[in-house]
C-alpha cells in the first residue's frame, strides 16, 4: 500500500514493536529414555514392614534364623538396610515379629482342634512342616516376652487352645498350668528328638501317635 507524503516531502514514521525477539534454539533429543533403569519400589504406610516380615520369614524358612541380618532382609526387599530401623529396633525385634506371626498362624490352626489327639497332630504337623520357623519360635525366651506384648499375646493364644483341650476337667489354676506344661514338654521334646534323628520313630504319623498316647491322660 502506498504511503501518503507529508508536507515538505516527509514520509510518516512507521511504528516499530519494542517487544524483544525470542530465538528458540533446537534442543538435542534425549536418546537414553528407553534404557533408564526403573527406580526401586517405594513403601509407605506400613508396606515396608509387611514386605520385610514376609522376606524375613522366607529367609528363616530357607536357612534358619541364626545368621539372619537386617541387611540381608533389606537386600531381599530392595531397600537400604537403614530403612528397616524405622520399623524394627534391631535384628532381635525383627525375629520377634516373625515369631509373633508364626504363633498367630499356629493358634489359628489349633483353634480347629476337637480332641487331644487332634491338637497333638495339628501341632506336630505344623512344627515338622516349618522346622526352621518352629526353631525360631521356640528360641524366644519366655522370660522376656512381658516386654513384647504382641509376641506374648500370640503365644498365649496357643496356650489357650491347649487349656481348652487338655484342661476341661481341671479346676485348679495350678493344676491347669501344670497340665499344659506337661503337654508342651512332651511335644517340644518329642519334636526336637525326632528332627535330630535321635527318637526312634519311623514316620511323622508314628510320632503323632506316640505323642498322642503320652498326652491322652492329660
Amino acid at each position: 500500500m502506498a504511503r501518503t507524503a507529508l508536507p515538505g516531502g516527509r514520509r510518516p514514521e512507521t511504528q516499530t514493536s519494542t517487544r524483544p525477539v525470542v530465538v528458540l534454539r533446537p534442543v538435542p533429543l534425549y536418546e537414553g529414555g528407553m534404557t533408564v533403569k526403573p527406580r526401586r519400589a517405594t513403601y509407605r504406610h506400613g508396606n515396608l514392614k509387611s514386605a520385610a516380615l514376609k522376606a524375613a520369614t522366607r529367609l528363616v524358612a530357607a536357612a534358619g534364623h541364626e545368621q539372619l541380618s537386617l541387611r540381608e532382609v533389606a537386600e531381599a526387599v530392595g531397600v537400604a538396610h537403614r530403612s528397616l530401623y524405622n520399623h524394627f529396633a534391631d535384628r532381635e525385634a525383627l525375629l520377634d515379629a516373625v515369631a509373633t506371626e508364626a504363633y498367630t498362624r499356629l493358634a489359628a490352626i489349633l483353634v480347629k482342634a476337637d480332641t487331644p489327639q487332634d491338637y497333638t497332630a495339628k501341632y506336630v504337623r505344623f512344627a515338622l512342616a516349618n522346622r526352621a520357623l518352629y526353631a525360631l519360635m521356640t528360641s524366644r525366651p519366655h522370660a522376656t516376652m512381658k516386654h513384647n506384648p504382641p509376641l506374648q499375646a500370640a503365644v498365649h493364644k496357643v496356650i489357650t487352645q491347649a487349656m481348652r483341650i487338655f484342661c476341661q476337667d481341671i479346676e485348679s489354676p495350678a493344676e491347669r498350668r501344670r497340665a499344659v506344661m506337661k503337654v508342651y514338654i512332651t511335644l517340644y521334646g518329642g519334636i526336637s528328638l525326632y528332627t535330630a534323628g535321635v527318637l526312634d520313630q519311623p514316620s511323622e504319623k508314628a510320632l503323632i501317635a506316640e505323642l498322642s498316647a503320652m498326652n491322652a491322660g492329660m
Side-chain angles (χ1 to χ4, degrees):
M1 179 181 297
R3 296 177 181 174
T4 304
L6 296 175
R10 291 182 294 110
R11 293 180 178 274
E13 294 181 0
T14 57
Q15 295 182 350
T16 58
S17 173
T18 59
R19 186 176 300 172
V21 177
V22 178
V23 179
L24 298 179
R25 296 180 180 179
V27 178
L29 295 176
Y30 176 62
E31 298 179 354
M34 298 302 293
T35 60
V36 174
K37 184 178 180 180
R39 300 176 66 182
R40 66 177 49 160
T42 57
Y43 297 90
R44 298 178 181 175
H45 306 300
N47 290 339
L48 175 56
K49 182 177 182 180
S50 176
L53 280 174
K54 290 179 181 178
T57 300
R58 290 195 302 268
L59 292 169
V60 168
H65 69 279
E66 293 83 356
Q67 303 301 322
L68 185 72
S69 68
L70 285 174
R71 188 177 298 275
E72 184 181 9
V73 175
E75 290 178 354
V77 177
V79 298
H81 78 280
R82 294 183 299 276
S83 302
L84 296 184
Y85 287 104
N86 294 325
H87 303 281
F88 308 101
D90 52 26
R91 172 182 176 274
E92 289 303 310
L94 173 59
L95 291 177
D96 281 347
V98 174
T100 298
E101 288 202 345
Y103 272 113
T104 301
R105 284 172 48 199
L106 177 57
I109 293 171
L110 296 175
V111 75
K112 300 176 182 178
D114 297 323
T115 64
Q117 294 78 12
D118 193 22
Y119 183 101
T120 300
K122 291 182 185 305
Y123 188 101
V124 171
R125 286 170 185 152
F126 177 90
L128 295 183
N130 304 276
R131 297 191 184 194
L133 190 58
Y134 182 71
L136 166 64
M137 294 163 63
T138 54
S139 74
R140 303 295 89 189
H142 193 275
T144 63
M145 287 184 185
K146 60 184 178 182
H147 303 298
N148 190 330
L151 176 58
Q152 186 179 51
V155 173
H156 284 176
K157 287 180 181 179
V158 174
I159 295 174
T160 297
Q161 296 309 314
M163 296 182 69
R164 175 179 65 86
I165 294 294
F166 294 97
C167 303
Q168 295 181 6
D169 300 324
I170 303 176
E171 295 183 0
S172 168
E175 289 300 322
R176 290 166 67 87
R177 174 178 170 276
R178 191 171 294 116
V180 170
M181 187 182 299
K182 289 179 181 179
V183 169
Y184 283 116
I185 289 174
T186 302
L187 290 174
Y188 178 76
I191 292 168
S192 298
L193 292 173
Y194 180 80
T195 55
V198 177
L199 194 62
D200 184 19
Q201 292 296 323
S203 65
E204 176 182 310
K205 183 177 180 180
L207 174 65
I208 291 173
E210 190 67 27
L211 294 178
S212 296
M214 292 180 182
N215 288 334
M218 299 296 181

